[in-house]
Amino acid sequence: MTMASVSKTFSNGTAALTDVSLTVRAGEFVSLLGPSGCGKSTALRIMAGLGGVSSGNIDWPASRITSSGRPDGDISFVFQEPTLLPWRTVAENVYLPLQLQGISRKAAQPRIEEALSTVFLADFAKAYPRELSGGMKMRVSIARALATRPKLLLMDEPFAALDEITRQKLNDEVLELWKSNGLAVVFVTHSVFESAYLSSRIVVMKARPGRIHEDFPVNVGIERDADFRTSESYRLTCERVSHSLGAAMGGEGH
Amino acid sequence: MENGERSEQLDRLIRIAIPVGVVLALLLVWYLIVHVENIPPYILPDPIAVAGALVKDWPTLWPAFLVTTKITFMSLGLALLGGTVFAVLLVQARWLELIFYPIAVVLQVTPIVAIAPLILIYAPTTQAALLICAYLVAFFPILSNLVQGLKSVDHNHLNLFELYGANRFQTLWHLKLPTALPYFMTGLKIGGGLSLIAAVVAEFSAGSSGAGSGLAFRILEAQFRLNIPRLFAALIMLSVLGIAIFALTSFLSWLLLHRWHESSLKREN
C-alpha cells in the first residue's frame, strides 16, 4: 500500500493531513503514533479506502481494485469500538464480511471457525455480544477482521478502552497473529509503550496540520516475548520513541 | 437452593394473586356501592347484571365484536405494510422525504377523527370508511418510529459496512432494519392501541346500523335504549380486545428482541 503526498482537508477547512507519504510493505508492523489531532485515524481511514483525499495519490499495487476504486477484500479494519451487531451471535458477526461478499454460510463455516479459534473464542460461537466482556468483544472484532484473510490489517486504537492486563494479553495475541500469518499491520496508538512493544516500524506524527515527523524501524531482529518487556533493548526502544514523540510535540510549543 | 426455589414460587404466586385480588376487590366495591346506595340498574347495574347481559346479549354482541376486531386488525395490518414500505422509501431517498414531510406533519397533527365525517362521505361503504380512519391513525406512529429507527444507525456500523463493500440493499437488510426493529416494535404497540381507538371513534361518528355494525355502535344503541347492562358488557368486550392486542404486540416484541435488546433483558448483578 502506497500513499504519495496525500493531503486531506475537511469540509470545515481543517487540514487533517498535509503531504503524507507512506509505503507499507508486506509483513511490516507499522505503528502510527502521535498526539490527538495529528490525523492518525484519518490516515488509517484513507488507507482503507474510506473517504477520499483532497490531493495526492493512494494505491494498493498488490490488490484487485473494485469498480468503486477500493481494494477488494484484502484490507480489514478493527475500530476503536468492537462495533459488533448486537442482534447477531458471535459466529454470525464473524460471518458478516463474508456474507457481504456473497459467500454462503455453509461455505464460510470453516473460515468462521478458524478465525474464532485464532482468537480463542471457538466455544463462544453461539453467544450474543452482550454476554461477552470488553476484551472478548474486541477479540470477536479481530476475528471478524481476519475472516476475509486480509493482506493488510488496519487497527485504530483497538485496545484504548480496555484495562491494562487485557490490553497486554491482546497485544501479545496480535503480535502472535502477525508473526504467524505474515500480514501487514498498521496500528494507530497513543501509547509509546504499546508501539515500542509491537512495531517493526514506527511513524511519529505531528499535529496541526497532521504530517509525518519521523519514520524509523525498531526492534530489528529481536524476538519479542515476555522477557522482551523487561529487557534493556525494550527500554532503549521506548526511549527512542519517547524522544521522537517529545520532539514532535515540542515543535508546536506545548 | 430449596429456599431459593420456594421464594421463587412464592414470588410467582404473589404476582398472579395480587392483580386477581385487586380486580375481585374492585368488583366487590362496585357491587356494594350499587346496593348500599340503591342505584337503579338503568344508571349503574351491578357486576352480576352486567355478566347476565353479557350472556343474554351474546348473539348480538359477538358478531359486533367480530366486526370491530376485523376492522382493527385489517387497519393495523395495512398500516404495518404501508408504514414500513413508506419509511424505507423515505430513508432511502432524501428528496422523497422533503416532498412528503409537510404532508406527513399536517396529517399527523390533525386529529384524524375530525376528518372522519369527510371520509364517510367519500368512501364507497361505511366499512371502508372505518378502515381508512383506523388505518390513518395507526399508520403514523408506525411510520415515524420506523423512520427514527432507520436513522439511528451507529456510524461505526455504517463505516464497517462501507469498508466491506456492502451495497444499499445489504446495508438496509443487514444493518438498518435490525437496528430499527426495537423502534418498529414501539410503533407497533402504539399503533395497535390507536387502531382500536380509531375504529371505535370512527364508528361513533358513522353511526351505522344493522347487521354489519361493530361494538361501538352497540354501545351507542344501548345508551339510546338505556340498556346500561348491555353497554357495560360491550365495554368489557372492547377492553378484552384492547388487552389481547396489547398482549399480542408485547409478545411479538419479546419474541424478536429478547435475545439481544436491552429492553427485554433481565438485570443480573
Side-chain angles (χ1 to χ4, degrees):
Chain A
M1 197 271 334
T2 305
M3 284 165 95
S5 329
V6 163
S7 297
K8 166 95 177 174
T9 311
F10 289 130
S11 51
N12 61 9
T14 315
L17 290 176
T18 48
D19 200 21
V20 171
S21 298
L22 184 69
T23 300
V24 179
R25 284 171 290 270
E28 272 192 310
F29 198 120
V30 182
S31 282
L32 297 183
L33 180 69
S36 11
C38 70
K40 305 180 294 263
S41 295
T42 311
L44 206 63
R45 285 178 57 85
I46 290 172
M47 288 178 210
L50 290 173
V53 297
S54 306
S55 67
N57 270 311
I58 176 147
D59 192 23
W60 301 270
S63 301
R64 208 158 56 81
I65 308 297
T66 60
S67 53
S68 55
R70 301 186 45 247
D72 187 22
D74 286 335
I75 295 185
S76 279
F77 207 110
V78 176
F79 298 88
Q80 245 174 71
E81 315 270 321
T83 59
L84 304 177
L85 305 177
W87 54 87
R88 287 181 171 227
T89 62
V90 165
E92 285 165 348
N93 266 292
V94 175
Y95 172 49
L96 178 74
L98 302 172
Q99 184 178 29
L100 294 176
Q101 288 176 359
I103 298 171
S104 78
R105 178 64 200 260
K106 221 172 175 180
Q109 190 58 32
R111 284 220 229 168
I112 296 170
E113 281 168 15
E114 179 195 309
L116 279 176
S117 60
T118 312
V119 296
F120 312 109
L121 282 177
D123 295 341
F124 289 88
K126 289 201 167 71
Y128 282 84
R130 64 174 171 86
E131 296 164 299
L132 306 179
S133 68
M136 285 160 95
K137 282 182 196 158
M138 213 60 232
R139 282 207 187 94
V140 178
S141 187
I142 293 171
R144 180 178 62 194
L146 293 175
T148 55
R149 298 193 177 132
K151 291 181 187 149
L152 176 60
L153 181 60
L154 305 173
M155 305 182 91
D156 187 3
E157 296 182 48
F159 311 136
L162 300 177
D163 63 273
E164 190 61 32
I165 296 170
T166 313
R167 188 176 179 156
Q168 281 206 7
K169 194 149 182 283
L170 284 172
N171 278 341
D172 286 334
E173 285 176 26
V174 166
L175 209 51
E176 198 51 50
L177 259 175
W178 170 70
K179 280 181 201 159
S180 57
N181 287 22
L183 40 68
V185 179
V186 179
F187 193 96
V188 164
T189 178
H190 277 127
S191 161
V192 168
F193 307 104
E194 199 170 52
S195 66
Y197 182 64
L198 291 170
S199 317
S200 64
R201 180 174 154 207
I202 293 180
V203 175
V204 177
M205 294 183 72
K206 250 178 155 161
R208 279 173 291 271
R211 58 202 187 279
I212 293 178
H213 172 69
E214 208 179 350
D215 179 349
F216 52 94
V218 289
N219 304 329
V220 182
I222 299 173
E223 179 65 24
R224 273 161 286 165
D225 50 26
D227 292 334
F228 176 64
R229 271 190 200 283
T230 51
S231 70
E232 176 66 9
S233 49
Y234 176 60
R235 197 194 62 75
L236 284 172
T237 304
C238 288
E239 196 175 291
R240 168 87 175 87
V241 178
S242 288
H243 281 150
S244 177
L245 184 62
M249 308 267 291
E252 38 173 318
H254 278 293
Chain B
M1 226 32 236
E2 200 168 279
N3 251 340
E5 245 169 60
R6 190 175 302 163
S7 83
E8 201 171 285
Q9 268 181 0
L10 196 70
D11 192 50
R12 197 173 306 155
L13 194 71
I14 286 173
R15 255 182 298 163
I16 296 169
I18 288 184
V20 170
V22 168
V23 170
L24 286 178
L26 283 174
L27 287 175
L28 187 69
V29 170
W30 177 4
Y31 183 88
L32 287 176
I33 288 177
V34 169
H35 286 273
V36 170
E37 301 280 325
N38 251 331
I39 301 173
Y42 54 85
I43 299 209
L44 180 64
D46 70 25
I48 295 169
V50 171
L54 196 58
V55 173
K56 187 164 63 72
D57 296 334
W58 191 255
T60 321
L61 292 176
W62 178 243
F65 178 84
L66 290 183
V67 167
T68 305
T69 307
K70 196 175 118 195
I71 286 174
T72 305
F73 277 94
M74 271 177 76
S75 62
L76 186 59
L78 287 174
L80 274 185
L81 199 71
T84 306
V85 170
F86 210 59
V88 168
L89 286 179
L90 282 188
V91 172
Q92 293 291 304
R94 247 266 122 74
W95 54 272
L96 264 180
E97 194 183 354
L98 287 175
I99 292 173
F100 283 104
Y101 189 69
I103 305 172
V105 168
V106 170
L107 275 175
Q108 196 172 15
V109 297
T110 310
I112 296 299
V113 179
I115 61 171
L118 264 183
I119 295 173
L120 281 161
I121 295 173
Y122 297 145
T125 63
T126 314
Q127 295 296 304
L130 299 183
L131 199 63
I132 292 169
C133 278
Y135 167 78
L136 283 175
V137 172
F139 174 74
F140 283 102
I142 290 170
L143 175 72
S144 56
N145 274 289
L146 192 54
V147 166
Q148 180 74 16
L150 289 169
K151 285 181 171 178
S152 304
V153 176
D154 189 329
H155 285 209
N156 289 325
H157 285 157
L158 281 175
N159 284 338
L160 181 78
F161 273 67
E162 193 189 338
L163 184 80
Y164 285 120
N167 61 32
R168 271 181 120 165
F169 175 76
Q170 286 175 322
T171 308
L172 176 71
W173 187 252
H174 294 300
L175 178 61
K176 290 187 176 174
L177 285 177
T179 302
L181 195 60
Y183 294 83
F184 174 77
M185 282 301 153
T186 308
L188 178 62
K189 279 187 201 169
I190 299 172
L194 284 181
S195 64
L196 176 59
I197 294 175
V200 166
V201 175
E203 206 180 328
F204 275 163
S205 65
S208 70
S209 59
S213 51
L215 278 176
F217 174 73
R218 294 296 167 206
I219 285 177
L220 278 184
E221 185 190 48
Q223 183 209 11
F224 295 146
R225 296 179 184 173
L226 278 184
N227 190 347
I228 306 302
R230 183 193 277 187
L231 196 158
F232 269 91
L235 265 182
I236 287 170
M237 291 178 86
L238 272 180
S239 73
V240 166
L241 184 53
I243 291 166
I245 291 171
F246 177 77
L248 202 67
T249 51
S250 299
F251 175 70
L252 203 62
S253 167
W254 176 85
L255 205 66
L256 291 172
L257 300 180
H258 76 281
R259 280 179 309 173
W260 64 275
H261 196 251
E262 301 294 336
S263 67
S264 304
L265 298 182
K266 262 193 191 164
R267 266 183 75 186
E268 283 181 71
N269 44 25

